[in-house]
Amino acid sequence: MKTIFTIFFIVLSVNSFSQATISGRVLTKNGEPIPGVNIFVENTYDGASSDADGNFSFTTTETGEQKLIASFIGYKTWQKLLVLDAEINLQIELHENINTIDAVTITAGSFAADDESRASIMKSLDVYTTPSANGDVMAAIRTMPGTQASADDGRLLVRGGDAYETSTYIDGLIAAKPYYSKTPDVATRGRFAPSLFNGVQFNTGGYSAEYGQALSSVLVLKSTDLPDDDNTGISLMSIGAEANRTERWENTSLMVSGGYTNLSLYDKIFNSSIDWEKPVESVNGSAVFRHKTRSSDMLKAYINADYGELAYLVPTGNSGNKMKISNKGGTVYSNLSYRDCFSEKSCYRIGVSSTWQDNRLGLDSDDVNTKELNIETRFAVVHDISDGVKLTWGANETFNKYNQDYIENKNVLYNGTFNDHLLGAFIEPEIKFSKNFGIRPGIRNEYSSAIQHWNIAPRFALALKTGKKAQLAGAWGLYYQTPQADYLKINTNLDFEQATHYIASYQFGDNSERLFRAEAYYKKYKKLITYTLAENGLPENLQNNGHGYAGGLDLFWRDQKSIKGFDYWLTYSFIDTKRKYQYYPEEATPYFISKHNFSAVGKYWVNKINTQFGASFSAASGRPYNNPNTNEFNAERTKMYSDLSLNMSHVFYLGNQYSVLYCSVNNVLGNNNVLSYRPTNVADAQGNYTLVPVKRDIKRFVFIGLFLNF
């Protein structure tokens, strides 16, 4: 024992005489001191932090050649090999790291939640707790600026664009049919559950060269990774029921779910403006598989299938006769994606998605049967070339097979079919010259085998940081879209439709606290599809003679800090737009456009009772509609639209899993909003047509759901 103590004191004595003192000062390249920098000897606890003047000093018992490291958030890590002796004094100069979280971000036209360097605007929880959304991603997005109130449509209508001008992507792969089937006068909703996603990136314009085939906007949904643990969920709702089961292993998970919806009982209790013969009835099922083998890779496989049908009656003329409209069909969507890295600075993602839809639309004794297959393969590679330069490039191939039979009185009147291979490639560098200024030039190239045309779409975006939490951004670009299937089934001798975007925006704040954003934009349309209507109602004389414009201002404000437990956002959009397309005889404001749109969403959490109360209010100026009894096209306007919706979410626990009792009421005040007017197809003796008001199917929609997890 004595020997052990003797050796211990000898070693201690030697070390005490072998200490080296390291001191100095940490400065920026402009000579300004940096406080709080961590300076230390690698693989030891020997070190210190710089003071308010950038000075530091510490001692170490290490000897010989050692690596000294200086690190601080927002700056590149400094390293230097030193031979430690009695005393070392040095000056350390740190350089800005322009890839940090407070660096400038190029965000013109984009509201993002899946990119950590950008302000998150909408998460899946926001979708579920927005009163007017009722769990629909698309309805929740309509509380964002740049969108139109569309209670009779349900699809996204962005900055003057028609519904077909917005594309939806899941994990970077196209979702060709993101909505349930649309029928006249009845709103549809999004096909995918918000719980599948942890990020929503909504681009209202000026979006990346990675995405094409969208004249107005893209909605990019990022699915969740591995769940935390096993879970069983049962949902009992006033319109149906759902159940799901999740199994989680170490690096793998599998989730299966199924649901049933039936509005028959609901229609009997509440008065609907739709004369239902068969209210909506549908079934759906899905499965999600995830597997992770390393820290950087992830394999995801997703499949969703649904089948539904409905039927209702609409007036056709003054005689009181009604026409039956019915719809039934099924859709299967699958998505397989894989992401991994070649190295620390080069990563890639590859995948394939497919959509198969068999849809049958009935118009009295006529039927329109449509079968469509869409398959896309895509890959993208991201290189971090240097601290301030990132290069993204990739390609995609999309195959579309379309077949439609128009059957009149059980006889085939018309068959339309086409196949299309769309090839696309892009390259897009992002260059940050400093933490305060960056640019993102890009170019996209596409070829469509159906129309046998190429397009080249250059794009450019920039951002300038004007303060700690403020920045200016701008974007310009060309955007192309292949004509819709409704046109290609008749004539493939067409060209791409085209839009040019100009965007300027200002953003201040942090979405985790307060965020303000203002964005002005202008879009110029060319080569839109025009046609005349034949006697059988089908388009003829299809040409790319259409044109138009859309310009406006979008404002957004979100505050999660001022009042504890209270989160709210306000949006306002102004738009001036006209276009000549489809059967329009002249440039006119489309029927789905409200010049002024306003929405307010607020949510307050009451901790004592584990309950969140929410309210949303939306208002829009009147929309244009065409009165065939006058000489002007789309010249008349509906009255102002308004909707107040309320909800309540009470959280309780079953074991260690939380469950929710959810209640919501849309249009609490019962406003009798007229969304449009549709003329009947039969004129009276004086040649006048009766106008039938188009309203939401249920004036005041009440939803109650019990979502159990255990």
Side-chain angles (χ1 to χ4, degrees), residues 548-562:
Y549 71 90
L553 175 68
D554 294 335
L555 301 176
F556 177 84
W557 167 257
R558 186 169 187 175
D559 184 359
Q560 301 181 70
K561 186 178 180 181
S562 296

Side-chain angles (χ1 to χ4, degrees), residues 485-538:
D486 284 341
Y487 309 139
L488 292 179
K489 70 184 181 185
I490 299 171
N491 180 9
T492 58
N493 188 27
L494 298 168
D495 201 349
F496 291 103
E497 296 183 295
Q498 177 185 327
T500 306
H501 294 198
Y502 304 87
I503 300 173
S505 67
Y506 172 76
Q507 180 172 302
F508 177 82
D510 180 349
N511 189 60
S512 63
E513 296 181 350
R514 301 185 187 95
L515 178 69
F516 170 76
R517 184 169 181 175
E519 189 160 277
Y521 64 90
Y522 181 77
K523 287 195 297 185
K524 188 71 175 178
Y525 288 96
K526 292 181 180 180
K527 297 185 178 181
L528 298 179
I529 301 299
T530 59
Y531 58 83
T532 56
L533 290 173
E535 290 184 4
N536 59 10
L538 294 173

Side-chain angles (χ1 to χ4, degrees), residues 224-231 246-250 252-255 288 290 298:
T224 58
D225 288 340
L226 290 171
D228 293 331
D229 48 31
D230 297 345
N231 176 266
T246 299
E247 289 284 346
R248 166 67 194 268
W249 299 276
E250 183 178 358
T252 306
S253 71
L254 175 65
M255 186 277 287
V288 184
R290 303 176 179 92
M298 175 65 74

Side-chain angles (χ1 to χ4, degrees), residues 349-367:
R349 59 183 185 272
I350 58 175
V352 57
S353 69
S354 68
T355 304
W356 164 254
Q357 186 172 78
D358 184 354
N359 188 66
R360 301 181 181 184
L361 176 65
L363 305 170
D364 262 350
S365 59
D366 300 344
D367 291 298

Side-chain angles (χ1 to χ4, degrees), residues 168-179:
T168 301
Y169 292 84
I170 297 177
D171 291 332
L173 296 162
I174 191 71
K177 302 293 181 182
Y179 305 96

Side-chain angles (χ1 to χ4, degrees), residues 354-517:
S354 68
T355 304
W356 164 254
Q357 186 172 78
D358 184 354
N359 188 66
R360 301 181 181 184
L361 176 65
L363 305 170
D364 262 350
S365 59
D366 300 344
D367 291 298
V368 182
N369 299 339
T370 307
K371 295 181 179 180
E372 189 168 1
L373 173 65
N374 181 284
I375 302 175
E376 179 182 78
T377 57
R378 177 182 291 259
F379 78 89
V381 182
V382 181
H383 302 282
D384 285 328
I385 296 175
S386 66
D387 287 336
V389 180
K390 180 175 73 173
L391 178 66
T392 306
W393 61 276
N396 68 282
E397 195 274 345
T398 306
F399 172 67
N400 193 33
K401 181 179 180 64
Y402 183 92
N403 183 81
Q404 185 180 82
D405 291 324
Y406 190 98
I407 302 171
E408 187 177 68
N409 293 322
K410 299 183 179 181
N411 295 313
V412 176
L413 177 67
Y414 171 83
N415 173 262
T417 182
F418 72 89
N419 294 337
D420 183 32
H421 288 274
L422 181 78
L423 305 177
F426 76 97
I427 185 168
E428 187 173 61
E430 185 171 302
I431 306 168
K432 294 181 179 178
F433 298 98
S434 70
K435 290 175 64 175
N436 295 327
F437 181 65
I439 63 172
R440 190 181 65 205
I443 190 166
R444 182 173 181 84
N445 178 232
E446 292 177 331
Y447 173 76
S448 168
S449 66
I451 61 177
Q452 298 184 5
H453 277 281
W454 290 90
N455 70 55
I456 298 178
R459 300 172 191 180
F460 184 81
L462 58 85
L464 174 66
K465 194 171 181 180
T466 58
K468 186 177 181 180
K469 294 185 177 181
Q471 74 168 41
L472 295 169
W476 167 87
L478 294 181
Y479 299 86
Y480 293 92
Q481 191 162 354
T482 307
Q484 296 179 81
D486 284 341
Y487 309 139
L488 292 179
K489 70 184 181 185
I490 299 171
N491 180 9
T492 58
N493 188 27
L494 298 168
D495 201 349
F496 291 103
E497 296 183 295
Q498 177 185 327
T500 306
H501 294 198
Y502 304 87
I503 300 173
S505 67
Y506 172 76
Q507 180 172 302
F508 177 82
D510 180 349
N511 189 60
S512 63
E513 296 181 350
R514 301 185 187 95
L515 178 69
F516 170 76
R517 184 169 181 175

